[in-house]
Amino acid sequence: TQLLEQSPQFLSIQEGENLTVYCNSSSVFSSLQWYRQEPGEGPVLLVTVVTGGEVKKLKRLTFQFGDARKDSSLHITAAQPGDTGLYLCAGAGGWATSGTYKYIFGTGTRLKVLA
Amino acid sequence: DAGITQSPRHKVTETGTPVTLRCHQTENHRYMYWYRQDPGHGLRLIHYSYGVKDTDKGEVSDGYSVSRSKTEDFLLTLESATSSQTSVYFCASLDRRPSTDTQYFGPGTRLTVL
């Protein structure tokens, strides 16, 4: 069974601070995605990383896929209150004969940025 | 954003009753998914569909069934609801693009089984 563990589970920081969220597994994934979820809403995709060692930037957010494609990190620079939310990583797991991946989600990191 | 709606948004039911949740998408996506979200577990895949009348099980499929009679609609049925099925249920459809498959999620259905 493929599992994705995220750390930390909860994070409360002051505006302007930097933070890193980790997503780790013992399994290899074809790709890894990061989502952000607001209360009462569904997750929204932020980024997909595909190649081992790949780094992608989305404004103040930097995403990295581990060289072995087993882990990923999300770094936020100068966090703002608008960054508050639940961050989820999701790995594209076993390829099904139906022609799609079964996506495995991490347990989530709840971030609160205080003004 | 893909147009994905879920109904109902909230439901309270009693143990042993059947419950059907509906997901509707307007993007003509082939693949659709049902997940449940519980504290400490993230999102877990219940069932998914890869076309009309084509479905397969996810990691937590026991006690759930699905049906897809039209591309736009994906139904999740709890045959006999139990308290352990109290959860928030999310539907998603998949926009397939090279190296950037994107799941678009609905707003969720909060189900309480008493």
Side-chain angles (χ1 to χ4, degrees), chain A residues 33 35 37 40-43 45 48 50 86 88 95-96 98-107, chain B residues 9 30-31 33 35 37 40-43 45 48 50 57 90 94 96 99 101-103 105-107:
Chain A
Q33 301 179 323
Y35 291 80
Q37 185 179 16
E41 299 179 6
L45 180 66
T48 300
V50 178
L86 178 67
L88 296 160
W95 178 259
S98 57
T100 183
Y101 292 105
K102 293 183 180 182
Y103 290 89
I104 309 298
F105 279 80
T107 49
Chain B
R9 292 294 314 277
R30 177 183 173 188
Y31 299 96
Y33 308 81
Y35 294 91
Q37 186 172 35
H41 289 278
L43 285 157
L45 181 64
Y48 69 99
Y50 49 98
K57 295 179 179 180
F90 288 97
L94 183 70
R96 300 223 62 184
S99 300
D101 285 355
T102 300
Q103 288 187 80
F105 285 84

Side-chain angles (χ1 to χ4, degrees), chain B residues 72-94:
Chain B
E72 57 266 35
D73 291 325
F74 192 29
L75 303 181
L76 176 71
T77 297
L78 289 65
E79 304 289 348
S80 178
T82 67
S83 57
S84 65
Q85 293 176 312
T86 291
S87 186
V88 181
Y89 291 86
F90 288 97
C91 170
S93 70
L94 183 70

Side-chain angles (χ1 to χ4, degrees), chain A:
Chain A
T1 301
Q2 294 176 301
L3 294 173
L4 274 170
E5 294 187 358
Q6 283 186 240
S7 62
Q9 283 189 318
F10 301 96
L11 194 54
S12 181
I13 62 172
Q14 293 292 325
E15 182 177 3
E17 293 184 358
N18 302 331
L19 67 114
T20 302
V21 176
Y22 299 94
C23 179
N24 295 298
S25 176
S26 58
S27 303
V28 175
F29 290 97
S30 301
S31 64
L32 199 135
Q33 301 179 323
W34 285 92
Y35 291 80
R36 181 171 158 224
Q37 185 179 16
E38 305 264 6
E41 299 179 6
V44 175
L45 180 66
L46 295 174
V47 76
T48 300
V49 285
V50 178
T51 307
E54 182 177 3
V55 176
K56 281 191 174 180
K57 292 190 176 182
L58 186 64
K59 297 182 180 179
R60 295 175 292 100
L61 278 61
T62 302
F63 305 86
Q64 184 163 7
F65 201 11
D67 291 340
R69 291 186 289 131
K70 293 182 179 181
D71 55 83
S72 181
S73 63
L74 158 60
H75 182 79
I76 300 179
T77 303
Q80 298 178 359
D83 296 326
T84 294
L86 178 67
Y87 289 83
L88 296 160
C89 61
W95 178 259
T97 54
S98 57
T100 183
Y101 292 105
K102 293 183 180 182
Y103 290 89
I104 309 298
F105 279 80
T107 49
T109 294
R110 193 166 297 279
L111 171 65
K112 186 170 186 178
V113 182
L114 305 170

Side-chain angles (χ1 to χ4, degrees), chain B residues 5-11 18-24 34-35 46 64-67 73-78 85 87-91 108-111:
Chain B
T5 57
Q6 293 183 234
S7 59
R9 292 294 314 277
H10 302 270
K11 185 170 182 66
V19 176
T20 296
L21 308 183
R22 180 175 181 255
C23 177
H24 180 79
W34 275 107
Y35 294 91
I46 305 172
Y64 302 94
S65 63
V66 290
S67 65
D73 291 325
F74 192 29
L75 303 181
L76 176 71
T77 297
L78 289 65
Q85 293 176 312
S87 186
V88 181
Y89 291 86
F90 288 97
C91 170
T109 294
R110 183 173 294 277
L111 176 67

